[in-house]
Amino acid sequence: MVTILNKEIPNELNELTIQQFEDITEIHANPKLDHVEKHIEVFKYMGVSDEIEDVDFETFKEYIKEFNTAKAPEGILLKRFENDGYTYEAYQDEWKLSAKETKLIEKILNNKHKGYISEMLAVLFKRTDLTKNEHYTDAHIKFKSKIIRELPAEIAVPYLVAVAETINKQVQSLNEVTE
C-alpha cells in the first residue's frame, strides 16, 4: 500500500485484484490520454481525490514513483483455486497450452477487449467437476472470468508471461513446420 493525498491505495500485485489490474492496464493503454493524464486517471480510479490534479509536479512525480514500486511476482503459476465449493484447476503435473486453449486465447488477446486478462485465465482454469466441452462454452468462460476478477493480480502476471512466451514458441515452431 502507498499513501497518496492521505489515501491508502493498493499498489502491490498481491493487494490489487485482477479487475483493478485490468482497469489500470486499460487506462495506461488509452491512446487518447497523455502520460500525465494516465497517472491522474489511475490515481482517481484507485480512490484518490480530484485534488491530485492540483499538487505540484514534483510531488506528483513522487506519487508516481511510490505507486510504481510494486515488485513483480516470482513467476509461480497458481495450480488451482477454490471458489464457492468448486475447484478450478489450470494444470495437474506440468503447465502446457493445448491447441484449443491456444486458439481461444489468441482470439481473446487479438481482441484485447475490457476484461481480456480474466477471460484468458478463465480459459486456463477449469472447474474439476465439469466435462471438457463445458469448460469452453462462452457462458462458462464469462462466468469464470467474473470469479477470477476478484482474485489477487499476482496470479495473472505469471500467466501473462507464460502464455506470451508459449504462444511465441508455438508460432515459431508452427512456422518451421509449415514452411
Side-chain angles (χ1 to χ4, degrees), residues 21 25 35-36 38 42 62 76 85 116 121 131 137 144 151 167 176:
F21 182 73
T25 301
H35 192 68
V36 172
K38 289 176 183 182
V42 167
E62 283 303 310
I76 298 169
Y116 76 92
L121 291 169
T131 66
T137 65
K144 287 188 292 185
L151 298 174
I167 289 177
E176 291 168 8

Side-chain angles (χ1 to χ4, degrees), residues 96-127:
K96 293 180 182 179
L97 275 179
S98 70
K100 184 170 192 144
E101 290 169 335
T102 301
K103 174 185 81 165
L104 292 170
I105 289 171
E106 280 187 329
K107 282 184 182 180
I108 292 166
L109 294 178
N110 287 336
N111 213 345
K112 287 212 175 167
H113 56 280
K114 186 175 177 117
Y116 76 92
I117 296 170
S118 55
E119 200 168 312
M120 177 202 71
L121 291 169
V123 169
L124 298 175
F125 283 92
K126 295 151 195 79
R127 213 168 87 182

Side-chain angles (χ1 to χ4, degrees), residues 78-83 86-89 125 147-148 151:
L78 180 70
K79 195 172 194 175
R80 68 178 66 85
F81 68 90
E82 303 271 332
N83 181 275
Y86 296 105
T87 300
Y88 295 85
E89 189 173 73
F125 283 92
I147 294 168
I148 288 169
L151 298 174

Side-chain angles (χ1 to χ4, degrees), residues 27-173:
I27 291 168
H28 280 290
N30 185 342
K32 294 179 183 174
L33 299 176
D34 67 35
H35 192 68
V36 172
E37 287 174 307
K38 289 176 183 182
H39 290 289
I40 288 171
E41 290 306 309
V42 167
F43 291 149
K44 286 182 179 181
Y45 168 76
M46 297 305 294
V48 175
S49 73
D50 288 343
E51 292 173 26
I52 191 67
E53 294 181 11
D54 298 326
V55 299
D56 69 87
F57 192 74
E58 289 304 312
T59 302
F60 184 69
K61 276 185 3 187
E62 283 303 310
Y63 287 151
I64 293 169
K65 187 176 173 183
E66 284 179 49
F67 185 77
N68 289 338
T69 60
K71 297 164 202 74
E74 293 193 22
I76 298 169
L77 299 176
L78 180 70
K79 195 172 194 175
R80 68 178 66 85
F81 68 90
E82 303 271 332
N83 181 275
D84 205 21
Y86 296 105
T87 300
Y88 295 85
E89 189 173 73
Y91 63 96
Q92 289 180 347
D93 298 321
E94 181 183 350
W95 182 78
K96 293 180 182 179
L97 275 179
S98 70
K100 184 170 192 144
E101 290 169 335
T102 301
K103 174 185 81 165
L104 292 170
I105 289 171
E106 280 187 329
K107 282 184 182 180
I108 292 166
L109 294 178
N110 287 336
N111 213 345
K112 287 212 175 167
H113 56 280
K114 186 175 177 117
Y116 76 92
I117 296 170
S118 55
E119 200 168 312
M120 177 202 71
L121 291 169
V123 169
L124 298 175
F125 283 92
K126 295 151 195 79
R127 213 168 87 182
T128 57
D129 65 320
L130 297 179
T131 66
K132 250 185 188 178
N133 289 336
E134 292 169 308
H135 293 305
Y136 301 114
T137 65
D138 288 342
H140 190 60
I141 288 175
K142 295 283 184 208
F143 172 76
K144 287 188 292 185
S145 66
K146 285 181 184 175
I147 294 168
I148 288 169
R149 284 186 186 114
E150 302 307 314
L151 298 174
E154 68 184 343
I155 293 167
V157 175
Y159 273 105
L160 286 170
V161 171
V163 165
E165 288 174 353
T166 302
I167 289 177
N168 283 338
K169 287 177 188 172
Q170 289 172 339
V171 167
Q172 286 176 347
S173 67

